Amino acid sequence: MTHIIETKKLCKTFSGNGVQQHVLRNVDLKIYDGDFTIIMGASGAGKSTLLYSLSGMDKPTLGQVLFDGTDITKMTPDQLSVFRRKNCGFVFQQIYLIDSMSILDNVLAAGLLTNKNRSEVVEKAKRILKSVDIEEVLWDKFPTQISGGEAQRVGIARALINNPKMVFADEPTGALNSKTGKDVLDALTEFNNRGQSIVMVTHDITSARRGNRVLYVKDGEIAGVCELGKYETGDKARHQKLNDFLAEMGW
Amino acid sequence: MGRKFMLAKSNFRKNRGTSAGLFLLMTICTMLISLVLLMYFDAYGAIAKRAVDLNAGDGVFFVGGTEEDIEDYKNYLISGDASEAESHKYVQFNNFSIEFGNGKLSPSVIFTDTSRFDTVLNKVEVVVADDSVTSDYIYLPYQFLTGGGYALGDTITFEILGESYTWNIKGFIDTTYFGSSNGGAFEFILDDETYDDLYLTAGDANCCYIVCFKLENGIKASKFILNSSNNYMEDHPTVRMSCQSVDEAISSKSFMTLILVVAFLIVNLIIILVVALMLSNTISNYIKENMKSIGALKAIGYSGSDIRQSLMILFGGLALLGSVVGSGLAYCLMPFLKSIVVGQSGILYNPSFRAYSVIVPLILVTLFVILVTAFSSRKIGKIEPIVALRDDTPSHSFKRNRVRLDKTNLNLNLSFALKTLFTNTKQNLITFLVTGLLVFVCIIGLLLFENFYRNPSIGILSFEVFGGIITVDPSTADETEEYLKTRTDITNLRYYNVLNLTYNNEDRLNCNVFDDFSLMNNQDVCYEGRLPEYDNEVAVSGKFAKDYGFEVGDEVLLTCGDKSYNYLITGFVQTCNNFGREAAMTTSAAEHISALSENDTMLCFDCADKEVCQNVIDDCTELYGEHIMSTINFYETIDGNMTIFKSIAMTLLVMVCIISAVVIMLILFLYIKALLYNKRRDYGISKALGYTSRDLILQTALSFMPSIVLAVIVSSVLSYLYVNPFLSLALLSFGLMKSSFTVPLGGVVIVGAGMIVISFVFAILGAAKIKNIEAYKMLVAE
């Protein structure tokens, strides 16, 4: 399997009031093409910091992040922005749609960054919105006028509009109820099945089952990796394997 | 009180940038109020005070005649309402050519000897002198040092009646009536020996007396001057006489100081408006941004009025501090403005500390700021703590999705900018209003620069525009005219004369007399009706007509000496000369009340440039020698007269441009700062999606540009069309009834384009902070 992301001795340290906190310590890992990679760990273990370091949203203190062979830690903020628009899609726990823009505009705001053919982007946005079950009647509404589940599915549509090499999802179901959370996970699984690579941070075991590979972060290090294989509904052996892995990790 | 101070301190810490911006605005505001007060009361007051110090009395008469005539006249004055009268003898020349500044002046000049220092009324005072100069010396008015380009130890050469006189400059004097180019007359004091020589050359024909008088308390000088001169002229019709009140002397010296005061006042009003708008916007933002904190404060027992008072303490404190700094800055600027005051008035003036210039702005600005704060923060009182703690106030209007990305053909950054603009309507409206006003002020500055500096509009300052004037005695008038007619380098040769008229013993008019007004170059001088054609017609100044309720078509009885005639008013004229007291009539009309043929003849002509004019003057002087009473090379006179006007026009333009740039910078800084705070989440999301800092900075800067561009266009067009009517109102008191200044279209475009470019640069710089914030941090700042 080919990997998209590789980290070498990745470190992240926060300093303040004379105190240093090492959040990531010499992390070496690879994220593979087509995988649905899950990052798990206890609160404060460094999951989100790792996710944002991998995606170029946050600068690591030391080490390298090689994305398709390019070290993104050497990039300037503006180069990172261009890198993100071409290679990354983001799904956030807080959803982060732009409140002053309509649903359709939120998706187009990302799509039009990489494709100047407006009609093509509009068509694609509408297609993706439909594929995440956002009906046409909602397209002209504003984020605060739709439900959390709908908003998160719009977030997924926005993340996918540029055919990113990697979608980074930070606890995408964290702010949703179980029903709408499931819809969101179904959507992500569906796109992964179509070949979309995804890295998702979660501390929810139900969400983690959707991944085919689970990385467990503990005290800023990758404490263990669990290969689960493709997600299938009701695969009890797979569920058990994950449970055993998490138990071994001290979950 | 302690807890309110504590809150105020905390608010200051949270809003350092905004507080600094508002502090700067308040500082500029106070500085301008302080400058207005200093210029009006200290500088203008100093001019009036100097007149008192020099015991200038209430006015002076220029009287020709014998010593006995003058004694008669003094007795006549004392027997009337004058309590004191004193005369002094001079040699007088009219239209005397003097090198001044960058050109020449053609004022009346009076020479006298050192006995002038002994006069009790209308004293002169030596400002600076070089005691090592002991012979062939001259004392010049102080304005020659401050604005004329002369210095102690220099020599000055005058051509007088065909002879060349050179004097060493011994000193500079302060004199009330004859010390400023705006007054139209200069006084020179010579050493006794050379004065005697000059007197012998000039003869009794050029001799005159200046009679200075002081009135009994409560008597108005203008009325007294008219009555006494008219009554005296009736008995002594051959006596030459003119007059000037002390108020006129002070006004002529302070003309430009008052224009500066008016200009500062206009700019100040705009800044006050800006302070009010920005303060109100800052408070509205404060409420929006601190809704939860307000809720928490109320929940723990703070009242709405506690929170409002803490804001009043904060902004009132800033205003107080800004007032002190602003007043200090005003004093720092005063030496520069002093040079304008001194250069123009020719008085010895040193700005002094005036407590009112600190206290008045301090009280005004602080009270104003506290009132605006109290008014803008009244919403705080109505906020329910529980609602504030939830902070569920909708931040956007969802009525309409403006600039739909799926429909618009605009560039992506521009689309985002427009979206921001529509969510920021109030701020953009204020930016529109303020930018429009600033453009208007800049265009006024530009107009003054164009009309007083670049292409001086002489027609506003002078009744007629000539190439040159040659004044000859009556015996040589025909011969000189015939000679001038033979010259091919001059055109439009015409007679010109000036009469002093009075109206109803109440007012005076300076009457310009021509054979044929259709030959005049400055036809614009008549702004309503027409110039006179027949011998029963007169055109009077609009200001005079307005003061006495005359309309075109009315009759007016005008008097010159002992003769009066009823004239038909055919039109209204205007210049800034003689405080708007001007008239015009044909030679045939003037002959009803004055024997013009007995006067010296002024022959005016047009020519290509100052060299040609000088050739004509030199040739005539060579041909007719002592018969030439005076000459004026108008081109050089313009340069000389405009020296002071030019420096003021330039100062004003530079000041309004700097102030406008600072104000627009502060507005954009404050608004963009608030915008960055309010939209920090959106910026974070956009950065995460892949928008670069450059994109976001551009979007932010562009979001303010439509209102700025629109304001520039609207204000430029309106200013272009209406700046003249506006100035007519402002300059009414100077006699300008219908302003027709040239508004340079190119300059307007440059001002507009400059404003747009500067605003864009400031907006980009203001939004540049986006660069320093990482997407991740912006998201986690939620």
Side-chain angles (χ1 to χ4, degrees):
Chain A
M1 275 178 84
T2 54
H3 64 265
I4 298 181
I5 302 173
E6 181 181 7
T7 66
K8 290 180 179 174
K9 307 280 180 208
L10 190 66
C11 296
K12 179 75 183 179
T13 304
F14 292 109
S15 308
N17 296 328
V19 180
Q20 286 199 324
Q21 191 189 355
H22 301 288
V23 181
L24 296 177
R25 300 162 189 262
N26 297 318
V27 175
D28 291 321
L29 61 80
K30 285 181 179 171
I31 308 284
Y32 297 98
D33 189 18
D35 270 9
F36 194 149
T37 308
I38 304 294
I39 301 175
M40 285 196 81
S43 283
K47 307 184 293 288
S48 291
T49 306
L50 177 61
L51 183 88
Y52 289 121
S53 295
L54 295 178
S55 59
M57 283 270 277
D58 196 10
K59 271 222 180 269
T61 314
L62 280 172
Q64 288 181 309
V65 177
L66 301 172
F67 197 107
D68 258 356
T70 307
D71 185 0
I72 63 169
T73 60
K74 302 256 186 308
M75 289 181 177
T76 64
D78 275 1
Q79 285 171 331
L80 279 172
S81 289
V82 176
F83 155 78
R84 281 197 299 271
R85 75 169 71 148
K86 288 180 180 165
N87 298 291
C88 309
F90 289 93
V91 183
F92 304 101
Q93 180 183 0
Q94 304 298 339
I95 306 169
Y96 291 136
L97 295 180
I98 298 176
D99 287 342
S100 56
M101 286 194 197
S102 70
I103 299 307
L104 183 58
D105 279 0
N106 261 286
V107 181
L108 292 175
L112 289 168
L113 268 173
T114 54
N115 188 346
K116 302 294 170 204
N117 186 331
R118 190 174 300 268
S119 57
E120 204 177 275
V121 179
V122 171
E123 280 315 305
K124 189 176 174 187
K126 289 176 177 175
R127 206 169 56 238
I128 296 179
L129 281 170
K130 277 183 187 165
S131 74
V132 291
D133 292 330
I134 300 295
E135 298 303 322
E136 195 171 344
V137 68
L138 299 178
W139 294 352
D140 283 334
K141 292 205 179 296
F142 289 86
T144 49
Q145 293 172 305
I146 60 175
S147 71
E150 287 167 335
Q152 192 57 292
R153 278 181 278 135
V154 174
I156 293 171
R158 183 179 64 181
L160 293 167
I161 184 80
N162 289 329
N163 297 329
K165 287 187 177 150
M166 186 67 69
V167 166
F168 296 92
D170 185 9
E171 309 242 23
T173 58
L176 306 176
N177 62 36
S178 57
K179 165 72 180 74
T180 52
K182 182 178 175 300
D183 293 343
V184 167
L185 289 172
D186 286 347
L188 287 172
T189 309
E190 172 62 23
F191 285 108
N192 176 245
N193 289 339
R194 289 189 217 158
Q196 177 64 55
S197 310
I198 299 173
V199 181
M200 180 170 82
V201 165
T202 184
H203 61 262
D204 171 33
I205 198 158
T206 315
S207 301
R209 282 182 196 138
R210 301 297 181 119
N212 63 305
R213 186 165 175 253
V214 180
L215 308 177
Y216 194 86
V217 182
K218 196 173 181 180
D219 297 331
E221 292 172 337
I222 304 294
V225 178
C226 175
E227 299 287 348
L228 284 175
K230 276 284 173 198
Y231 171 74
E232 277 176 34
T233 323
D235 185 344
K236 288 190 176 165
R238 197 171 170 281
H239 292 183
Q240 191 53 50
K241 189 176 178 184
L242 177 61
N243 289 346
D244 292 345
F245 169 71
L246 292 175
E248 188 187 333
M249 291 292 118
W251 176 255
Chain B
M1 199 52 140
R3 63 182 192 279
K4 290 169 199 163
F5 270 107
M6 203 175 66
L7 259 184
K9 216 168 121 186
S10 146
N11 285 333
F12 174 72
R13 271 202 300 268
K14 272 197 282 184
N15 297 287
R16 274 190 201 135
T18 311
S19 302
L22 282 168
F23 169 78
L24 257 179
L25 275 173
M26 292 167 192
T27 303
I28 295 174
C29 187
T30 322
M31 181 188 82
L32 285 172
I33 296 177
S34 200
L35 277 178
V36 164
L37 290 172
L38 283 171
M39 291 290 283
Y40 190 79
F41 290 106
D42 194 52
Y44 180 72
I47 297 172
K49 188 175 174 296
R50 281 307 290 163
V52 175
D53 292 347
L54 294 173
N55 198 21
D58 291 292
V60 287
F61 289 99
F62 282 70
V63 191
T66 63
E67 210 162 335
E68 290 74 38
D69 290 336
I70 302 309
E71 282 308 312
D72 273 0
Y73 188 60
K74 272 164 49 184
N75 292 332
Y76 165 77
L77 292 177
I78 304 253
S79 66
D81 290 325
S83 59
E84 290 175 55
E86 184 177 354
S87 64
H88 194 79
K89 194 174 183 180
Y90 290 86
V91 173
Q92 181 191 9
F93 300 100
N94 292 320
N95 300 328
F96 195 81
S97 180
I98 302 172
E99 303 266 355
F100 192 89
N102 299 322
K104 282 188 176 179
L105 296 178
S106 299
S108 292
V109 295
I110 47 175
F111 290 92
T112 189
D113 58 17
T114 53
S115 64
R116 174 72 173 93
F117 291 117
D118 302 328
T119 53
V120 178
L121 265 181
N122 185 24
K123 289 190 287 189
V124 288
E125 201 171 282
V126 176
V127 179
V128 57
D130 179 355
D131 292 335
S132 64
V133 180
T134 51
S135 62
D136 295 331
Y137 61 75
I138 186 170
Y139 285 95
L140 301 174
Y142 188 45
Q143 196 184 30
F144 279 68
L145 176 69
T146 58
Y150 294 89
L152 283 179
D154 287 354
T155 57
I156 187 165
T157 302
F158 292 139
E159 293 294 327
I160 302 173
L161 301 173
E163 280 188 45
S164 178
Y165 289 83
T166 299
W167 284 286
N168 302 306
I169 299 173
K170 182 177 172 71
F172 294 94
I173 52 170
D174 191 355
T175 161
T176 306
Y177 294 95
F178 315 114
S180 163
S181 53
N182 290 348
F186 281 124
E187 172 176 19
F188 302 124
I189 299 174
L190 305 175
D191 65 280
D192 297 350
E193 208 171 310
T194 49
Y195 173 72
D196 291 342
D197 289 347
L198 180 69
Y199 184 77
L200 281 175
T201 312
D204 286 338
N206 287 302
C207 169
C208 82
Y209 288 83
I210 305 291
V211 181
C212 181
F213 62 89
K214 199 179 234 181
L215 294 173
E216 305 282 357
N217 284 343
I219 307 294
K220 280 184 82 176
S222 53
K223 187 118 183 162
F224 173 80
I225 285 172
L226 275 172
N227 286 334
S228 54
S229 57
N230 284 346
N231 293 341
Y232 191 76
M233 293 278 282
E234 276 174 21
D235 298 337
H236 302 78
T238 55
V239 169
R240 289 176 286 123
M241 183 177 255
S242 60
C243 43
Q244 192 179 21
S245 71
V246 72
D247 291 339
E248 287 168 346
I250 292 168
S251 295
S252 67
K253 284 181 170 184
S254 56
F255 172 63
M256 270 306 187
T257 307
L258 286 181
I259 284 190
L260 273 178
V261 167
V262 171
F264 285 157
L265 262 179
I266 294 172
V267 178
N268 207 355
L269 286 176
I270 294 174
I271 307 273
I272 287 172
L273 179 72
V274 171
V275 167
L277 292 173
M278 298 310 297
L279 193 57
S280 137
N281 186 257
T282 302
I283 291 166
S284 149
N285 272 339
Y286 165 82
I287 297 171
K288 220 188 299 172
E289 288 169 14
N290 294 281
M291 191 58 92
K292 279 185 181 166
S293 309
I294 292 170
L297 285 170
K298 283 199 164 186
I300 61 170
Y302 278 84
S303 69
S305 105
D306 286 340
I307 301 169
R308 289 177 71 197
Q309 280 174 29
S310 76
L311 290 177
M312 287 181 222
I313 290 170
L314 169 62
F315 294 120
L318 285 176
L320 210 64
L321 199 63
S323 301
V324 174
V325 177
S327 304
L329 277 177
Y331 274 101
C332 292
L333 277 176
M334 272 315 275
F336 174 65
L337 292 171
K338 170 199 156 183
S339 66
I340 292 177
V341 174
V342 172
Q344 186 231 344
S345 63
I347 67 152
L348 183 62
Y349 165 63
N350 280 310
S352 45
F353 177 77
R354 301 283 175 185
Y356 57 74
S357 74
V358 178
I359 293 166
V360 173
L362 187 141
I363 292 173
L364 276 180
V365 174
T366 310
L367 264 181
F368 178 73
V369 164
I370 289 175
L371 281 176
V372 173
T373 308
F375 184 77
S376 310
S377 63
R378 63 199 190 288
K379 191 183 164 189
I380 293 174
K382 295 174 192 158
I383 295 172
E384 293 293 333
I386 191 68
V387 177
L389 283 166
R390 281 188 199 134
D391 192 13
D392 52 2
T393 328
S395 54
H396 299 289
S397 163
F398 303 119
K399 279 180 192 160
R400 212 170 138 196
N401 179 19
R402 294 171 199 273
V403 199
R404 291 173 55 135
L405 293 180
D406 56 327
K407 294 273 174 12
T408 180
N409 287 319
L410 293 172
N411 156 292
L412 195 57
N413 281 332
L414 201 56
S415 309
F416 269 73
L418 287 179
K419 277 178 179 289
T420 307
L421 182 152
F422 287 120
T423 52
N424 234 6
T425 324
K426 194 175 142 199
Q427 286 78 356
N428 272 285
L429 268 175
I430 295 173
T431 310
F432 172 85
L433 189 71
V434 173
T435 310
L437 287 171
L438 292 175
V439 168
F440 181 65
V441 173
C442 284
I443 287 177
I444 292 178
L446 173 79
L447 178 144
L448 294 176
F449 177 78
E450 172 71 18
N451 291 275
F452 289 98
Y453 191 99
R454 206 165 151 259
N455 293 309
S457 300
I458 309 305
I460 295 161
L461 303 170
S462 167
F463 190 86
E464 168 62 327
V465 180
F466 315 97
I469 301 177
I470 292 173
T471 308
V472 287
D473 62 26
S475 68
T476 328
D478 293 342
E479 198 183 332
T480 313
E481 186 189 0
E482 285 311 311
Y483 165 72
L484 288 173
K485 277 181 182 169
T486 63
R487 290 196 68 127
T488 53
D489 52 355
I490 63 170
T491 55
N492 201 10
L493 182 67
R494 58 221 191 262
Y495 280 107
Y496 174 52
N497 226 313
V498 177
L499 286 179
N500 287 313
L501 306 181
T502 57
Y503 165 70
N504 200 26
N505 266 354
E506 282 181 58
D507 215 334
R508 287 180 291 160
L509 287 169
N510 186 64
C511 185
N512 299 271
V513 182
F514 284 92
D515 279 347
D516 181 357
F517 281 95
S518 67
L519 298 176
M520 263 182 70
N521 291 318
N522 189 18
Q523 292 290 329
D524 289 342
V525 76
C526 179
Y527 70 91
E528 193 175 327
R530 64 168 172 79
L531 286 163
E533 286 177 25
Y534 303 104
D535 72 346
N536 64 334
E537 294 178 347
V538 69
V540 295
S541 68
K543 190 162 189 290
F544 169 80
K546 195 178 172 208
D547 288 351
Y548 294 100
F550 286 117
E551 297 287 340
V552 172
D554 287 351
E555 284 197 341
V556 57
L557 183 70
L558 295 174
T559 305
C560 181
D562 57 340
K563 291 181 181 170
S564 298
Y565 192 83
N566 238 337
Y567 291 96
L568 178 73
I569 298 174
T570 60
F572 296 148
V573 294
Q574 60 171 358
T575 72
C576 286
N577 267 345
N578 298 301
F579 309 98
R581 292 294 191 255
E582 294 264 345
M585 62 174 68
T586 59
T587 308
S588 56
E591 278 168 349
H592 288 301
I593 47 176
S594 175
L596 289 177
S597 55
E598 292 170 11
N599 294 353
D600 293 338
T601 303
M602 294 162 83
L603 293 161
C604 322
F605 56 86
D606 298 341
C607 56
D609 53 41
K610 71 172 152 191
E611 280 74 29
V612 174
C613 186
Q614 200 52 51
N615 287 341
V616 175
I617 289 170
D618 291 346
D619 293 347
C620 282
T621 311
E622 199 179 317
L623 277 172
Y624 303 108
E626 63 186 14
H627 297 289
I628 303 292
M629 307 314 293
S630 68
T631 59
I632 298 178
N633 183 333
F634 212 73
Y635 291 99
E636 290 185 333
T637 307
I638 292 166
D639 291 340
N641 273 314
M642 294 311 287
T643 305
I644 302 293
F645 285 96
K646 280 182 172 183
S647 71
I648 290 173
M650 184 57 133
T651 307
L652 265 178
L653 182 66
V654 170
M655 276 198 84
V656 292
C657 285
I658 290 174
I659 289 175
S660 298
V662 171
V663 170
I664 200 83
M665 179 187 77
L666 290 174
I667 287 180
L668 288 172
F669 164 75
L670 290 174
Y671 279 153
I672 288 173
K673 192 173 172 293
L675 187 68
L676 293 192
Y677 181 84
N678 291 331
K679 275 176 66 85
R680 64 195 184 284
R681 179 179 171 277
D682 289 0
Y683 286 127
I685 298 168
S686 301
K687 274 203 167 184
L689 293 180
Y691 284 87
T692 61
S693 298
R694 236 174 72 180
D695 291 332
L696 298 176
I697 290 169
L698 194 64
Q699 285 168 19
T700 308
L702 282 176
S703 75
F704 284 94
M705 294 321 287
S707 57
I708 288 171
V709 172
L710 194 66
V712 165
I713 293 171
V714 170
S715 184
S716 298
V717 171
L718 289 179
S719 304
Y720 188 75
L721 295 174
Y722 297 110
V723 72
N724 271 310
F726 174 80
L727 280 178
S728 294
L729 283 175
L731 298 175
L732 208 63
S733 60
F734 298 112
L736 209 63
M737 305 298 288
K738 192 175 177 185
S739 154
S740 55
F741 287 109
T742 311
V743 188
L745 191 58
V748 173
V749 172
I750 291 171
V751 165
M755 186 65 92
I756 291 171
V757 170
I758 282 179
S759 305
F760 186 66
V761 171
F762 286 150
I764 291 277
L765 292 174
K769 267 191 172 174
I770 292 174
K771 219 173 176 175
N772 303 331
I773 309 163
E774 287 170 34
Y776 177 59
K777 283 183 185 162
M778 290 174 92
L779 288 173
V780 295
E782 267 289 280

